Amino acid sequence: MTDLPLARNPLRRSLLTGTGAAIAFGTLGPVRSAFAQGAPARSLPAYAAFKDAGSMIVHSANTIETRRGAAGNGALTTVNQLYVRNNLTPPSADIVAKPDDWVVQIEGVRRPKSLTVRELKAMRTERVAMVLQCSGNGRGMFPSKPSGTPWQVGAAGCVMWTGVPVRDLVHATGGVLPGMLFMTGTGGEVLPVGVDAKSRVERSVPAAAMEDAVLAWEINGQPIPLAHGGPLRLVVPGFTGVNSVKYVKKLAFTTVESDSSIQQTDYRMTPSAEAAIRPTDPSVWQMPPKSWINTPLAGVAKLGARGLLIQGVAFAGVNAVKQVDVSMDGGATWQRAALAGPDLGRFAWRQFELPVQLPAGQYVLASRVTDVRGNVQVENRVENKAGYLNSSWRDHAVAITVA
């Protein structure tokens, strides 16, 4: 996989800066869904008990998916409908009882220091809207059935983070030391006794990602709950969720990538035929262009007085969305959809919609996004051993019958 170019963050403006942002989260959240289907297979774990159970699929205590269509097509995903993915058991809930006391170390800079969340809050803050998506979102669509959670589209959401820009922290600590090629975040999970230290959650991304990264303490205007990495999370816009390290206790600039297992032998685009994941395989970093339809869902669709309204969401990693096209015949022909709702910046998803008149019959609906750099959502998934980065518009298509 070729990484897309990193670029500057266009959200540095008063609309999305500071605690008094003009956007009201309550007005941007998704409409309560009429599409949640069935009941959750398992009970929500205690640390995620606040979730809307009818909107979620509980795969395990550490993997909870949003049902397709349950969150609607809102510009922002409400926290109680946002998916959960933890690589290790979360720390004790005690750490979010006094969030301002949490300490993060800043290393690999000219003046290393430790800062509490309280001290971070005294600095200039910034808000950034971004798609948070698990690297394995869409894994359940791979015919090869890779090991891991069989996510469909629900290991993703669009949320607003509030925190300190990492570039400001770097400036305040004298700048990055020469030769530091990576930004490395270390999570605060407690490893069980006897477990190798390389099992820690620690991820490295190219150091240039610091230009857009944020140390965040709020999600959608509220303190980050334990389920989503509170009291402090490293947020790396445009990159898959694993790179936005939860419970971050150390942010370091390093000459080499972390030696943790989650960096070296996990989250790599290893060809399916390979026996083992290799550290030389491309790391799962930036997200490629991707979209899917949330309305209608697969099954029988009844036309309203004005026909059928096709709706969905689209995003393109570090790049802004330029356009979305929709097909009703499985990709044989395409029509331009309209971008709807607010534009929250290049890291956020865009809502799209297309009203159509369809006679009774069977249809295969698909969507395809193009970003401002001309990158187009792929037709077919990139086959890989672990089922990462499935952005295939064909896999995400829905078959409907118009009555």
Side-chain angles (χ1 to χ4, degrees):
M1 179 185 72
T2 301
D3 289 329
L4 302 177
L6 288 164
R8 301 288 294 179
N9 185 346
L11 292 180
R12 295 168 197 152
R13 57 183 184 268
S14 59
L15 178 65
L16 296 179
T17 302
T19 56
I23 290 179
F25 296 108
T27 63
L28 288 180
V31 176
R32 298 294 298 175
S33 171
F35 300 111
Q37 301 173 17
R42 299 181 179 89
S43 298
L44 290 163
Y47 74 94
F50 64 90
K51 296 290 179 181
D52 177 6
S55 298
M56 314 307 293
I57 301 169
V58 182
H59 295 287
S60 73
N62 285 332
T63 52
I64 305 170
E65 180 172 5
T66 310
R67 295 179 183 275
R68 186 168 187 166
N73 296 287
L76 291 180
T77 306
T78 57
V79 177
N80 71 342
Q81 292 181 310
L82 182 64
Y83 82 99
V84 175
R85 169 69 172 112
N86 288 313
N87 281 282
L88 291 174
T89 301
S92 166
D94 293 343
I95 67 172
V96 292
K98 296 182 178 180
D100 288 355
D101 293 341
W102 184 262
V103 177
V104 60
Q105 297 173 263
I106 312 298
E107 299 181 358
V109 292
R110 296 187 185 279
R111 295 191 296 274
K113 66 188 307 181
S114 296
L115 293 163
T116 64
V117 171
R118 183 179 294 103
E119 290 172 312
L120 291 175
K121 287 181 177 179
M123 301 178 67
R124 185 183 73 87
T125 61
E126 187 169 284
R127 280 185 171 173
V128 58
M130 63 169 251
V131 173
L132 184 69
Q133 177 182 226
C134 178
S135 307
N137 198 30
R139 178 186 288 127
M141 301 173 185
F142 277 72
S144 58
K145 303 299 181 187
S147 62
T149 303
W151 307 107
Q152 295 295 310
V153 303
C158 186
V159 292
M160 185 82 76
W161 303 98
T162 302
V164 171
V166 171
R167 64 184 181 280
D168 285 8
L169 281 175
V170 167
H171 178 74
T173 51
V176 175
L177 292 173
M180 301 300 177
L181 301 179
F182 299 94
M183 179 175 69
T184 300
T186 306
E189 295 92 343
V190 178
L191 291 176
V193 176
V195 172
D196 192 320
K198 289 185 178 181
S199 297
R200 68 190 180 279
V201 176
E202 186 174 85
R203 287 286 295 176
S204 300
V205 298
M210 77 173 184
E211 292 296 328
D212 302 309
V214 172
L215 284 179
W217 54 81
E218 283 187 359
I219 181 173
N220 288 5
Q222 61 183 273
I224 302 174
L226 188 71
H228 295 297
L232 191 67
R233 183 166 184 171
L234 171 63
V235 173
V236 187
F239 287 61
T240 62
V242 69
N243 299 291
S244 290
V245 176
K246 295 179 177 181
Y247 329 111
V248 62
K249 66 178 183 181
K250 183 170 71 172
L251 178 64
F253 292 90
T254 56
T255 57
V256 296
E257 296 180 31
S258 170
D259 67 353
S260 65
S261 300
I262 202 173
Q263 183 76 32
Q264 295 295 320
T265 56
D266 295 335
Y267 295 93
R268 298 277 173 176
M269 294 293 284
T270 301
S272 299
E274 297 296 331
I277 297 174
R278 304 163 300 189
T280 54
D281 293 326
S283 191
V284 177
W285 281 334
Q286 294 174 351
M287 297 183 293
K290 184 172 181 176
S291 69
W292 62 80
I293 291 167
N294 282 324
T295 308
L297 296 177
V300 177
K302 293 185 178 181
L303 298 180
R306 290 180 289 181
L308 182 69
L309 183 63
I310 299 171
Q311 295 176 297
V313 293
F315 54 97
V318 299
N319 297 320
V321 169
K322 177 183 179 181
Q323 66 188 50
V324 179
D325 297 300
V326 171
S327 175
M328 283 153 286
D329 50 18
T333 61
W334 297 88
Q335 295 184 40
R336 184 66 43 81
L339 298 180
D343 180 355
L344 299 182
R346 64 187 172 98
F347 302 120
W349 65 28
R350 292 302 308 271
Q351 303 154 267
F352 65 86
E353 58 184 35
L354 178 68
V356 294
Q357 294 287 344
L358 296 175
Q362 296 181 331
Y363 300 88
V364 177
L365 308 182
S367 62
R368 183 181 66 187
V369 60
T370 302
D371 71 21
V372 293
R373 292 181 178 269
N375 300 298
V376 182
Q377 183 176 356
V378 296
E379 176 179 356
N380 299 307
R381 76 195 80 84
V382 177
E383 298 293 343
N384 64 94
K385 184 180 180 67
Y388 293 134
L389 297 181
N390 186 356
S391 300
S392 161
W393 60 254
R394 189 168 293 282
D395 279 356
H396 289 76
V398 292
I400 67 167
T401 299
V402 173

